[in-house]
PDB file of all heavy atoms in Angstrom:
ATOM      1  N   GLN A1373       1.238 -10.023  -0.025  1.00 95.00           N
ATOM      2  CA  GLN A1373       0.636 -10.734  -1.223  1.00 95.00           C
ATOM      3  C   GLN A1373      -0.747 -10.350  -1.465  1.00 95.00           C
ATOM      4  O   GLN A1373      -1.272 -10.186  -2.612  1.00 95.00           O
ATOM      5  CB  GLN A1373       0.566 -12.203  -0.689  1.00 95.00           C
ATOM      6  CG  GLN A1373       1.971 -12.906  -0.733  1.00 95.00           C
ATOM      7  CD  GLN A1373       1.960 -14.356  -0.181  1.00 95.00           C
ATOM      8  OE1 GLN A1373       1.139 -14.704   0.460  1.00 95.00           O
ATOM      9  NE2 GLN A1373       2.995 -14.999  -0.614  1.00 95.00           N
ATOM     10  N   ARG A1374      -1.642 -10.088  -0.416  1.00 95.00           N
ATOM     11  CA  ARG A1374      -2.910  -9.601  -0.657  1.00 95.00           C
ATOM     12  C   ARG A1374      -2.994  -8.228  -1.286  1.00 95.00           C
ATOM     13  O   ARG A1374      -3.672  -7.795  -2.141  1.00 95.00           O
ATOM     14  CB  ARG A1374      -3.751  -9.598   0.639  1.00 95.00           C
ATOM     15  CG  ARG A1374      -4.141 -10.995   1.009  1.00 95.00           C
ATOM     16  CD  ARG A1374      -4.707 -11.134   2.480  1.00 95.00           C
ATOM     17  NE  ARG A1374      -5.202 -12.393   2.750  1.00 95.00           N
ATOM     18  CZ  ARG A1374      -4.444 -13.411   3.047  1.00 95.00           C
ATOM     19  NH1 ARG A1374      -3.203 -13.276   3.175  1.00 95.00           N
ATOM     20  NH2 ARG A1374      -4.934 -14.577   3.385  1.00 95.00           N
ATOM     21  N   ALA A1375      -1.976  -7.200  -0.741  1.00 93.00           N
ATOM     22  CA  ALA A1375      -1.930  -5.972  -1.316  1.00 93.00           C
ATOM     23  C   ALA A1375      -1.516  -5.889  -2.714  1.00 93.00           C
ATOM     24  O   ALA A1375      -2.090  -5.006  -3.507  1.00 93.00           O
ATOM     25  CB  ALA A1375      -0.957  -5.046  -0.382  1.00 93.00           C
ATOM     26  N   THR A1376      -0.533  -6.716  -3.004  1.00 92.00           N
ATOM     27  CA  THR A1376      -0.010  -6.690  -4.483  1.00 92.00           C
ATOM     28  C   THR A1376      -1.174  -7.236  -5.432  1.00 92.00           C
ATOM     29  O   THR A1376      -1.077  -6.966  -6.621  1.00 92.00           O
ATOM     30  CB  THR A1376       1.324  -7.457  -4.621  1.00 92.00           C
ATOM     31  OG1 THR A1376       1.071  -8.657  -4.236  1.00 92.00           O
ATOM     32  CG2 THR A1376       2.299  -6.653  -3.913  1.00 92.00           C
ATOM     33  N   ALA A1377      -2.028  -8.012  -4.996  1.00 92.00           N
ATOM     34  CA  ALA A1377      -2.992  -8.549  -5.825  1.00 92.00           C
ATOM     35  C   ALA A1377      -4.155  -7.489  -6.154  1.00 92.00           C
ATOM     36  O   ALA A1377      -5.161  -7.648  -6.979  1.00 92.00           O
ATOM     37  CB  ALA A1377      -3.766  -9.712  -5.125  1.00 92.00           C
ATOM     38  N   LEU A1378      -4.217  -6.390  -5.407  1.00 92.00           N
ATOM     39  CA  LEU A1378      -4.994  -5.217  -5.626  1.00 92.00           C
ATOM     40  C   LEU A1378      -4.451  -4.043  -6.076  1.00 92.00           C
ATOM     41  O   LEU A1378      -3.316  -3.711  -5.768  1.00 92.00           O
ATOM     42  CB  LEU A1378      -5.785  -5.033  -4.273  1.00 92.00           C
ATOM     43  CG  LEU A1378      -6.571  -6.108  -3.608  1.00 92.00           C
ATOM     44  CD1 LEU A1378      -7.021  -5.586  -2.241  1.00 92.00           C
ATOM     45  CD2 LEU A1378      -7.924  -6.406  -4.456  1.00 92.00           C
ATOM     46  N   PRO A1379      -5.188  -3.130  -6.807  1.00 90.00           N
ATOM     47  CA  PRO A1379      -4.628  -1.903  -7.061  1.00 90.00           C
ATOM     48  C   PRO A1379      -4.503  -1.002  -5.843  1.00 90.00           C
ATOM     49  O   PRO A1379      -5.506  -1.171  -4.975  1.00 90.00           O
ATOM     50  CB  PRO A1379      -5.691  -1.255  -8.092  1.00 90.00           C
ATOM     51  CG  PRO A1379      -6.667  -2.293  -8.385  1.00 90.00           C
ATOM     52  CD  PRO A1379      -6.513  -3.421  -7.394  1.00 90.00           C
ATOM     53  N   SER A1380      -3.392  -0.367  -5.638  1.00 86.00           N
ATOM     54  CA  SER A1380      -3.317   0.430  -4.405  1.00 86.00           C
ATOM     55  C   SER A1380      -4.448   1.539  -4.155  1.00 86.00           C
ATOM     56  O   SER A1380      -4.636   1.855  -3.016  1.00 86.00           O
ATOM     57  CB  SER A1380      -1.902   1.163  -4.322  1.00 86.00           C
ATOM     58  OG  SER A1380      -1.928   2.083  -5.429  1.00 86.00           O
ATOM     59  N   THR A1381      -5.046   1.879  -5.226  1.00 88.00           N
ATOM     60  CA  THR A1381      -6.274   2.866  -5.020  1.00 88.00           C
ATOM     61  C   THR A1381      -7.395   2.108  -4.297  1.00 88.00           C
ATOM     62  O   THR A1381      -8.295   2.858  -3.809  1.00 88.00           O
ATOM     63  CB  THR A1381      -6.723   3.366  -6.390  1.00 88.00           C
ATOM     64  OG1 THR A1381      -6.976   2.291  -7.246  1.00 88.00           O
ATOM     65  CG2 THR A1381      -5.622   4.204  -6.910  1.00 88.00           C
ATOM     66  N   THR A1382      -7.526   0.760  -4.263  1.00 90.00           N
ATOM     67  CA  THR A1382      -8.482   0.066  -3.618  1.00 90.00           C
ATOM     68  C   THR A1382      -8.208  -0.475  -2.222  1.00 90.00           C
ATOM     69  O   THR A1382      -8.959  -1.123  -1.540  1.00 90.00           O
ATOM     70  CB  THR A1382      -9.089  -1.163  -4.476  1.00 90.00           C
ATOM     71  OG1 THR A1382      -8.053  -2.063  -4.543  1.00 90.00           O
ATOM     72  CG2 THR A1382      -9.545  -0.512  -5.800  1.00 90.00           C
ATOM     73  N   TRP A1383      -6.975  -0.253  -1.704  1.00 91.00           N
ATOM     74  CA  TRP A1383      -6.541  -0.749  -0.402  1.00 91.00           C
ATOM     75  C   TRP A1383      -7.472  -0.199   0.569  1.00 91.00           C
ATOM     76  O   TRP A1383      -8.001   0.908   0.423  1.00 91.00           O
ATOM     77  CB  TRP A1383      -5.113  -0.340  -0.105  1.00 91.00           C
ATOM     78  CG  TRP A1383      -4.078  -0.996  -0.907  1.00 91.00           C
ATOM     79  CD1 TRP A1383      -4.200  -2.040  -1.622  1.00 91.00           C
ATOM     80  CD2 TRP A1383      -2.713  -0.621  -0.931  1.00 91.00           C
ATOM     81  NE1 TRP A1383      -3.109  -2.424  -2.240  1.00 91.00           N
ATOM     82  CE2 TRP A1383      -2.035  -1.681  -1.728  1.00 91.00           C
ATOM     83  CE3 TRP A1383      -1.849   0.347  -0.321  1.00 91.00           C
ATOM     84  CZ2 TRP A1383      -0.656  -1.594  -2.095  1.00 91.00           C
ATOM     85  CZ3 TRP A1383      -0.582   0.298  -0.557  1.00 91.00           C
ATOM     86  CH2 TRP A1383       0.145  -0.526  -1.402  1.00 91.00           C
ATOM     87  N   PRO A1384      -7.805  -0.889   1.606  1.00 92.00           N
ATOM     88  CA  PRO A1384      -8.635  -0.400   2.665  1.00 92.00           C
ATOM     89  C   PRO A1384      -8.084   0.703   3.535  1.00 92.00           C
ATOM     90  O   PRO A1384      -8.841   1.248   4.407  1.00 92.00           O
ATOM     91  CB  PRO A1384      -8.845  -1.647   3.507  1.00 92.00           C
ATOM     92  CG  PRO A1384      -7.774  -2.532   3.236  1.00 92.00           C
ATOM     93  CD  PRO A1384      -7.254  -2.198   1.887  1.00 92.00           C
ATOM     94  N   ARG A1385      -6.757   0.912   3.425  1.00 93.00           N
ATOM     95  CA  ARG A1385      -6.082   1.986   4.241  1.00 93.00           C
ATOM     96  C   ARG A1385      -5.295   2.807   3.284  1.00 93.00           C
ATOM     97  O   ARG A1385      -4.809   2.460   2.338  1.00 93.00           O
ATOM     98  CB  ARG A1385      -5.241   1.409   5.301  1.00 93.00           C
ATOM     99  CG  ARG A1385      -5.922   0.434   6.234  1.00 93.00           C
ATOM    100  CD  ARG A1385      -5.264   0.184   7.501  1.00 93.00           C
ATOM    101  NE  ARG A1385      -5.866  -0.732   8.290  1.00 93.00           N
ATOM    102  CZ  ARG A1385      -5.106  -1.402   9.252  1.00 93.00           C
ATOM    103  NH1 ARG A1385      -4.003  -1.043   9.604  1.00 93.00           N
ATOM    104  NH2 ARG A1385      -5.959  -2.113  10.057  1.00 93.00           N
ATOM    105  N   SER A1386      -4.945   4.006   3.865  1.00 94.00           N
ATOM    106  CA  SER A1386      -4.113   4.888   3.137  1.00 94.00           C
ATOM    107  C   SER A1386      -2.728   4.418   3.094  1.00 94.00           C
ATOM    108  O   SER A1386      -2.234   3.719   3.864  1.00 94.00           O
ATOM    109  CB  SER A1386      -4.304   6.342   3.654  1.00 94.00           C
ATOM    110  OG  SER A1386      -3.859   6.380   5.054  1.00 94.00           O
ATOM    111  N   ARG A1387      -1.927   4.932   2.113  1.00 94.00           N
ATOM    112  CA  ARG A1387      -0.583   4.701   2.100  1.00 94.00           C
ATOM    113  C   ARG A1387       0.247   5.143   3.268  1.00 94.00           C
ATOM    114  O   ARG A1387      -0.213   6.119   3.757  1.00 94.00           O
ATOM    115  CB  ARG A1387       0.122   5.220   0.821  1.00 94.00           C
ATOM    116  CG  ARG A1387      -0.403   4.547  -0.547  1.00 94.00           C
ATOM    117  CD  ARG A1387       0.308   5.132  -1.632  1.00 94.00           C
ATOM    118  NE  ARG A1387      -0.384   4.601  -2.877  1.00 94.00           N
ATOM    119  CZ  ARG A1387       0.242   4.616  -4.045  1.00 94.00           C
ATOM    120  NH1 ARG A1387       1.392   5.190  -4.138  1.00 94.00           N
ATOM    121  NH2 ARG A1387      -0.259   4.065  -5.090  1.00 94.00           N
ATOM    122  N   CYS A1388       1.366   4.672   3.513  1.00 95.00           N
ATOM    123  CA  CYS A1388       2.122   5.164   4.612  1.00 95.00           C
ATOM    124  C   CYS A1388       2.617   6.498   4.313  1.00 95.00           C
ATOM    125  O   CYS A1388       3.033   6.749   3.223  1.00 95.00           O
ATOM    126  CB  CYS A1388       3.322   4.120   4.809  1.00 95.00           C
ATOM    127  SG  CYS A1388       4.569   4.697   5.972  1.00 95.00           S
ATOM    128  N   SER A1389       2.626   7.363   5.281  1.00 94.00           N
ATOM    129  CA  SER A1389       2.945   8.784   5.001  1.00 94.00           C
ATOM    130  C   SER A1389       4.583   8.901   5.004  1.00 94.00           C
ATOM    131  O   SER A1389       5.076   9.869   4.464  1.00 94.00           O
ATOM    132  CB  SER A1389       2.616   9.728   6.068  1.00 94.00           C
ATOM    133  OG  SER A1389       2.913   9.384   7.416  1.00 94.00           O
ATOM    134  N   ARG A1390       5.256   7.934   5.376  1.00 95.00           N
ATOM    135  CA  ARG A1390       6.740   8.061   5.447  1.00 95.00           C
ATOM    136  C   ARG A1390       7.326   7.463   4.180  1.00 95.00           C
ATOM    137  O   ARG A1390       8.144   8.229   3.549  1.00 95.00           O
ATOM    138  CB  ARG A1390       7.406   7.321   6.615  1.00 95.00           C
ATOM    139  CG  ARG A1390       8.879   7.480   6.766  1.00 95.00           C
ATOM    140  CD  ARG A1390       9.386   7.119   8.078  1.00 95.00           C
ATOM    141  NE  ARG A1390      10.798   7.493   8.133  1.00 95.00           N
ATOM    142  CZ  ARG A1390      11.389   7.200   9.188  1.00 95.00           C
ATOM    143  NH1 ARG A1390      10.888   6.618  10.218  1.00 95.00           N
ATOM    144  NH2 ARG A1390      12.695   7.499   9.249  1.00 95.00           N
ATOM    145  N   CYS A1391       6.935   6.300   3.773  1.00 95.00           N
ATOM    146  CA  CYS A1391       7.590   5.707   2.462  1.00 95.00           C
ATOM    147  C   CYS A1391       6.640   5.819   1.352  1.00 95.00           C
ATOM    148  O   CYS A1391       6.981   5.469   0.153  1.00 95.00           O
ATOM    149  CB  CYS A1391       7.852   4.285   2.773  1.00 95.00           C
ATOM    150  SG  CYS A1391       6.411   3.206   2.836  1.00 95.00           S
ATOM    151  N   HIS A1392       5.440   6.477   1.558  1.00 94.00           N
ATOM    152  CA  HIS A1392       4.460   6.748   0.430  1.00 94.00           C
ATOM    153  C   HIS A1392       4.051   5.399  -0.265  1.00 94.00           C
ATOM    154  O   HIS A1392       3.865   5.352  -1.527  1.00 94.00           O
ATOM    155  CB  HIS A1392       4.946   7.697  -0.484  1.00 94.00           C
ATOM    156  CG  HIS A1392       5.313   9.018   0.171  1.00 94.00           C
ATOM    157  ND1 HIS A1392       4.457   9.810   0.657  1.00 94.00           N
ATOM    158  CD2 HIS A1392       6.643   9.587   0.376  1.00 94.00           C
ATOM    159  CE1 HIS A1392       5.045  10.804   1.204  1.00 94.00           C
ATOM    160  NE2 HIS A1392       6.399  10.653   1.159  1.00 94.00           N
ATOM    161  N   GLY A1393       3.973   4.361   0.469  1.00 92.00           N
ATOM    162  CA  GLY A1393       3.510   3.082  -0.043  1.00 92.00           C
ATOM    163  C   GLY A1393       4.628   2.200  -0.658  1.00 92.00           C
ATOM    164  O   GLY A1393       4.304   1.053  -1.150  1.00 92.00           O
ATOM    165  N   LYS A1394       5.864   2.612  -0.722  1.00 94.00           N
ATOM    166  CA  LYS A1394       6.931   1.956  -1.324  1.00 94.00           C
ATOM    167  C   LYS A1394       7.509   0.858  -0.558  1.00 94.00           C
ATOM    168  O   LYS A1394       8.373   0.022  -0.849  1.00 94.00           O
ATOM    169  CB  LYS A1394       7.987   2.948  -1.785  1.00 94.00           C
ATOM    170  CG  LYS A1394       7.523   3.927  -2.806  1.00 94.00           C
ATOM    171  CD  LYS A1394       8.648   4.832  -3.206  1.00 94.00           C
ATOM    172  CE  LYS A1394       7.957   5.753  -4.343  1.00 94.00           C
ATOM    173  NZ  LYS A1394       8.746   7.007  -4.425  1.00 94.00           N
ATOM    174  N   GLN A1395       7.297   0.760   0.887  1.00 93.00           N
ATOM    175  CA  GLN A1395       7.634  -0.178   1.747  1.00 93.00           C
ATOM    176  C   GLN A1395       9.015   0.019   2.341  1.00 93.00           C
ATOM    177  O   GLN A1395       9.380  -0.714   3.264  1.00 93.00           O
ATOM    178  CB  GLN A1395       7.377  -1.559   1.229  1.00 93.00           C
ATOM    179  CG  GLN A1395       5.977  -1.884   0.855  1.00 93.00           C
ATOM    180  CD  GLN A1395       5.891  -2.984  -0.120  1.00 93.00           C
ATOM    181  OE1 GLN A1395       6.788  -3.522  -0.678  1.00 93.00           O
ATOM    182  NE2 GLN A1395       4.625  -3.489  -0.431  1.00 93.00           N
ATOM    183  N   THR A1396       9.846   0.686   1.490  1.00 94.00           N
ATOM    184  CA  THR A1396      11.226   0.951   2.065  1.00 94.00           C
ATOM    185  C   THR A1396      11.547   2.313   2.043  1.00 94.00           C
ATOM    186  O   THR A1396      10.915   3.226   1.289  1.00 94.00           O
ATOM    187  CB  THR A1396      12.283   0.152   1.196  1.00 94.00           C
ATOM    188  OG1 THR A1396      12.242   0.692  -0.136  1.00 94.00           O
ATOM    189  CG2 THR A1396      12.072  -1.360   1.119  1.00 94.00           C
TER     190      THR A1396
END
């Protein structure tokens, strides 16, 4: 919920290297 409220470019951490931020 907190992550979707923010643009992914402003997340405090990098995207997952396996799913590239897609969660699945």
